[in-house]
Amino acid sequence: MKRRTFLGSTIPPLIALSRYSRPARFRHARPVPSRSQLNWHRDELALFLHFGVNTFTDREWGDGKEDPAIFNPAGLDARQWACTAKVAGFKTLILTAKHHDGFCLWPSKLTTHSVVSSPWREGKGDVVRELVDACQAEGLKAGLYLSPWDRHEPSYGDSPRYNDHYIGQLTELLTWYGPIREVWFDGANGEGPNGKRQVYDWERIHRTVRQRQPEAVMFSDAGPDIRWIGNERGIAGDPNWCTMDPAAVPYAGADGPGIIEALQHGDPNGTVWRPGEADVSIRPGWFYHPAEDSQVRSTENLLALYRSSVGSNAGLLLNVPPNRDGLLSAADASRLDEFGSALRDLFVRDLAAGARATTGAGGVELILRNPQSFDHVVIQEDIVQGQTVALHSVEVREGAGWKTIAEGTTVGYKRVHRVPAVTASQVRLVIRSALAPPRISRFSLYLTP
Ligand code: FUL
């Protein structure tokens, strides 16, 4: 046992005991995050912006026959998106540069089905440029979603021809606008004209991103850097491992038995680091619909989303769709603002700061300076070293014994437990099972104001 004063965020590595020892052939073999993945973990929150012709047709999936003349977001102000996101604590903005309808929000040279053919800014506008500039001005990262499924492009379904077209569009996006930090793909793969099936060239897509934007993380069901969490409700699995068996989800859009479970939970024995991202909308739909103005999630609901995503070792990609003026609607913007303040107020003071911490192979024990009341417990592993905790509990001293107030499986980058408010002067984290000596970097206590 080691004793030391604990300042809330520095806990010495737990001492290895034989029960964590792994066979020699596994030692040092556990996957760890890349630098870009590590930064992605630490960012925690990204804003998703579904915007395009659907915003004007009131649809979720356009059919590709939309007249570009309908696209005219006269008041578009990407600075409003970026400022709102920043104040609420979001670090990245990801825009639908092209959704399934094929309408491009940038002046692609490979099609006229784009902003160029719209009345917006007299055909000289470029939403991607405005997004990137706004992110840069606010110190945020820009990300782009380029739907492989394209219901407008005539070459779609003629696989080699469309693949060239798609790589061409991707290359425009990755070379014209400076750093792009997340490239978001989905596996939607509808039929092409005459019922032809398009076979996407994922290997070439991934290679293109790596070459053009080596710092970017790529998201899809099948990663390769960030995996889909398996639902659009913002709920990570329990357990949720950052490691995965890449064969479990071989390509984006793969479906079949076991796939959703693999996405939800990852795999403790997985050979790649591929953490989950939970994409979820602040409204029922992904695109803006006036009829949903009264159905914006409450702050309480957003806090619950934070716990079930970031607080369950996943990233949160919250969709807030710009409206027909090209702005985040007032209700959505003020909800984001409230969410950001609520998070800040909740996590402003670590009640474990200054506690005396004893660490051992079995966990961390805190002796607080004074009895403290708390209702949130935050635990983090030092994931630079990989993810190891498989089962844990949080306990408070009660008389001569200990009372369990929270139990869970994995921790990973972050685990947030909300517990019924409790007052205690001794609190401990018990690691019941781990794959290797765990390195707990944070064990903090908070009280909802
Ligand atoms: C899915 C799409 O089909 C939805 O329209 C939406 O964009 C969602 C985030 O991804 O694959």
Side-chain angles (χ1 to χ4, degrees), residues 183 185-186 202 206 218-224 226-228 252 263:
V183 188
F185 300 111
D186 70 345
W202 287 111
H206 295 166
M218 284 181 260
F219 167 101
S220 84
D221 313 16
I226 308 294
R227 72 175 199 265
W228 183 45
L263 291 167

Side-chain angles (χ1 to χ4, degrees), residues 48 50 60-61 99-100 145 184 186 188 232 279 286:
F48 214 175
H50 273 70
E60 278 290 303
W61 282 6
H99 202 250
H100 307 330
Y145 167 22
W184 209 92
D186 70 345
E232 293 176 339
D279 60 320
W286 291 104

Side-chain angles (χ1 to χ4, degrees), residues 262-280:
L263 291 167
Q264 275 265 285
H265 300 299
D267 182 341
N269 301 309
T271 53
V272 296
W273 189 270
R274 189 175 291 171
E277 180 174 86
D279 60 320
V280 56

